[in-house]
Amino acid sequence: MKELKNRRFSNMIVIVPVCSIIFMFLLIFLSFQFIMDRHIDELTKDDIKIEFEIMDEIFYEKENDAYTVWGLDDTSLSVSIEYMILNDAGDVLFDSADFFMQTGLETANFIAEYISLHELPKNQQSTKIKIEDRTYLISGKYYEGIYNDNDFIIQAKAGEKANTYLYVVYMDITTLQELVNTINKSLIVTLLCIGILSMILIFQTIKKVRVSFRLLERYLLKIGNKENVQEIPQFCYEEFSNVVKTVEEMENRIAQSEQLQKQFFQNASHELRTPLMSIQGYAEGLKYHVIKDTANCYDVILQESKRMSDLVDEILFLSKFETQTLKNDIIEVDNMLYDCANQVYISRYSHIDIVWNVPKGITIIGDETLLQRAFSNILSNALRYAISKIYVTGAVENQNLYIHIIDDGEGITPQDLPHIFERFYKGKGGNFGIGLSMTKDIINKYHGTICVDAKPGHTDFCVKIPIS
């Protein structure tokens, strides 16, 4: 597997916003240019089209009032629309601006020179050109005809030789372009100011983030080295404070877990020592013929050996429980509960009656071995504390299986009740502090819940497991 190259987070939170700002600046600027060019084209398109229509009517010698409106300034942009005629050699034959306003042919010659070097767009599309400090919009159309004395192009009649002429319409849009340039400059200045302000804010934020990271790193190192942290660092941002709170909670849980494990091993050592001492004492008594009631000795040795075996079995199960792969068995609930009762119901509980109310035909999918252990632990506790009766009921509601195991014992003390599902917690009369915590972990694996309602004469363990 290819190893990923580590990057500095502080660098990335600079690069990404800066690149984003530059990209947005270019996008806004280019979009504005595109929109303004399109807008100017749309505004001038109709005026240019009218000029070509007038020229077409003259060329085809149609009867209209075109001559009366030629060369007026009344356009949608309030700028002058001029025209010029070029022969096939590119020479200017006529320029309306020079004809009407005596401006000379300097502008027309510049446009003619541009046209000789560049091909005009087809279909009377306009193009923008720059001549010194002026900006023009030009468009052209070719005609095959003759150039008459009225400075127009008309169709050649029979016997007349037709030549190619270029009819060019041009508009001085310098005022509009200057407005666009002014807006562009204002836009650039505005975006630069926003960019600079954003960069200042970003660098200020990065500075605070770096300080927070250093404080957090030192704090975590102290926690990792189990040093006594006298003062919790103060951060500028809530996220870092939340990390510290999470670390504190984890540290408290780890400390609590270590304390419980320590307590468990102490209890386990004591629990192992007690039966071992009993076994050793009775074994020595049998060896040296001190004890006469040998039958009772054998019972005690067997009982204490089983107690040690159960404890070792619980410890081994805990060691592999977290990584155990779950099976998908089809489990008949009533048979499983009967098997659990048979496993834990021994002769010394013969005075206790188990009352069953579990309907047949209820099935769930799960690991039968794990679920048997979970319910066996609950039944074992119920048998240990019950006085005369245990009630086992089962029902299905809203695709959930509900199992209630109720005993008539003296109940669970208020001091023990909040902790009975904690691992290694040993309540009054408990064995090893493993059984109920293990039961809860197994039920949780199946997205179920377990709760207890405890009062004198009625202790009810309720297990809910989704059937699917």
Side-chain angles (χ1 to χ4, degrees):
M1 184 177 177
K2 186 177 179 181
E3 184 178 354
L4 293 176
K5 184 178 179 182
N6 291 330
R7 300 176 182 176
R8 289 183 63 88
F9 174 73
S10 57
N11 292 339
M12 292 305 297
I13 59 177
V14 174
I15 294 172
V16 172
V18 169
C19 292
S20 300
I21 290 172
I22 294 174
F23 175 77
M24 290 301 298
F25 172 82
L26 291 175
L27 182 63
I28 293 172
F29 183 76
L30 294 176
S31 299
F32 177 77
Q33 291 296 314
F34 176 77
I35 292 170
M36 289 303 299
D37 288 342
R38 288 293 301 273
H39 185 62
I40 292 175
D41 287 343
E42 289 295 323
L43 289 175
T44 59
K45 182 172 64 176
D46 291 339
D47 297 319
I48 292 174
K49 181 181 178 182
I50 291 173
E51 294 296 324
F52 282 117
E53 288 175 351
I54 293 173
M55 186 65 227
D56 287 342
E57 291 171 353
I58 294 172
F59 181 77
Y60 294 110
E61 297 182 306
K62 296 179 181 179
E63 300 252 346
N64 64 38
D65 299 330
Y67 299 97
T68 63
V69 297
W70 198 282
L72 295 179
D73 293 352
D74 188 18
T75 70
S76 59
L77 287 174
S78 298
V79 295
S80 176
I81 301 178
E82 306 295 343
Y83 78 95
M84 56 189 287
I85 299 174
L86 307 178
N87 61 18
D88 56 358
D91 299 325
V92 178
L93 301 180
F94 179 80
D95 177 35
S96 63
D98 178 57
F99 180 81
F100 290 111
M101 295 177 284
Q102 303 295 315
T103 59
L105 296 176
E106 184 176 357
T107 300
N109 288 330
F110 272 119
I111 294 175
E113 182 180 357
Y114 175 87
I115 293 173
S116 67
L117 298 175
H118 303 84
E119 184 178 356
L120 286 178
K122 297 180 180 180
N123 301 322
Q124 291 88 57
Q125 295 295 318
S126 59
T127 185
K128 195 186 322 183
I129 65 172
K130 186 83 173 175
I131 298 176
E132 295 181 348
D133 59 343
R134 311 296 295 178
T135 303
Y136 294 88
L137 201 66
I138 65 173
S139 181
K141 182 178 180 180
Y142 288 94
Y143 290 90
E144 293 287 337
I146 61 173
Y147 179 68
N148 66 6
D149 296 335
N150 293 324
D151 297 318
F152 296 125
I153 306 167
I154 60 175
Q155 279 184 313
K157 298 179 180 178
E160 294 180 333
K161 181 183 179 181
N163 295 311
T164 302
Y165 298 95
L166 176 61
Y167 179 74
V168 179
V169 175
Y170 66 95
M171 305 171 64
D172 187 349
I173 58 169
T174 303
T175 304
L176 280 176
Q177 192 59 44
E178 288 176 349
L179 175 63
V180 171
N181 293 338
T182 301
I183 296 175
N184 282 339
K185 291 176 183 178
S186 302
L187 184 63
I188 290 173
V189 171
T190 302
L191 291 174
L192 283 176
C193 291
I194 293 173
I196 292 171
L197 179 61
S198 300
M199 292 301 300
I200 292 173
L201 294 175
I202 288 171
F203 280 109
Q204 289 293 327
T205 303
I206 290 169
K207 183 179 178 181
K208 294 179 181 179
V209 169
R210 283 178 171 170
V211 171
S212 298
F213 268 124
R214 284 196 292 269
L215 291 173
L216 181 62
E217 182 181 12
R218 292 171 189 166
Y219 173 76
L220 293 177
L221 286 173
K222 289 181 179 180
I223 295 295
N225 295 328
K226 298 196 175 189
E227 297 179 15
N228 186 18
V229 180
Q230 299 291 339
E231 185 178 353
I232 296 177
Q234 300 297 317
F235 298 101
C236 301
Y237 301 103
E238 183 181 355
E239 289 76 7
F240 289 96
S241 299
N242 291 338
V243 171
V244 170
K245 290 179 182 177
T246 303
V247 171
E248 283 185 312
E249 291 176 3
M250 291 174 60
E251 183 190 17
N252 292 334
R253 290 180 183 179
I254 291 171
Q256 185 179 12
S257 177
E258 289 176 348
Q259 179 61 32
L260 289 173
Q261 289 186 32
K262 182 179 179 182
Q263 182 180 352
F264 165 74
F265 286 118
Q266 290 175 351
N267 293 339
S269 299
H270 174 73
E271 294 292 339
L272 285 171
R273 186 182 297 113
T274 301
L276 281 173
M277 290 179 64
S278 296
I279 293 170
Q280 181 181 2
Y282 279 98
E284 289 177 351
L286 290 173
K287 179 179 179 180
Y288 297 111
H289 306 288
V290 175
I291 300 175
K292 304 300 181 183
D293 187 2
T294 56
N296 183 54
C297 290
Y298 295 138
D299 290 338
V300 171
I301 291 173
L302 286 172
Q303 182 180 347
E304 297 299 334
S305 298
K306 186 179 184 307
R307 181 178 174 81
M308 284 194 301
S309 177
D310 291 342
L311 178 58
V312 172
D313 182 52
E314 297 283 337
I315 295 172
L316 290 175
F317 182 84
L318 277 178
S319 66
K320 61 182 180 180
F321 171 70
E322 297 297 337
T323 57
Q324 187 172 351
T325 303
L326 297 179
K327 299 177 183 177
N328 290 321
D329 304 322
I330 299 177
I331 305 170
E332 294 183 0
V333 175
D334 57 333
N335 290 336
M336 178 189 67
L337 293 172
Y338 292 144
D339 291 341
C340 293
N342 290 332
Q343 290 175 10
V344 298
Y345 193 83
I346 56 179
S347 59
R348 63 173 172 159
Y349 299 133
S350 58
H351 64 287
I352 298 174
D353 293 329
I354 300 180
V355 180
W356 296 92
N357 185 16
V358 181
K360 293 183 177 296
I362 299 177
T363 59
I364 59 173
I365 296 176
D367 191 319
E368 187 167 7
T369 303
L370 281 181
L371 289 172
Q372 276 187 351
R373 180 177 285 271
F375 287 106
S376 294
N377 287 335
I378 302 175
L379 283 167
S380 177
N381 276 340
L383 286 167
R384 190 181 309 123
Y385 295 107
I387 297 174
S388 61
K389 286 187 182 297
I390 293 176
Y391 299 89
V392 180
T393 64
V396 175
E397 295 180 12
N398 299 324
Q399 295 299 309
N400 291 312
L401 171 66
Y402 290 88
I403 299 294
H404 290 267
I405 299 176
I406 307 168
D407 68 75
D408 60 352
E410 63 181 14
I412 303 171
T413 64
Q415 294 77 16
D416 291 335
L417 188 60
H419 308 288
I420 59 172
F421 294 113
E422 294 177 6
R423 188 168 293 180
F424 310 124
Y425 183 83
K426 183 179 177 182
K428 180 182 178 183
N431 277 342
F432 312 121
I434 300 176
L436 287 179
S437 66
M438 185 190 304
T439 295
K440 184 177 181 180
D441 291 340
I442 294 172
I443 299 302
N444 286 342
K445 275 186 177 287
Y446 290 96
H447 307 289
T449 58
I450 180 171
C451 58
V452 59
D453 177 23
K455 52 190 175 183
H458 184 93
T459 301
D460 180 4
F461 279 87
C462 176
V463 176
K464 182 183 81 169
I465 301 176
I467 291 180
S468 57

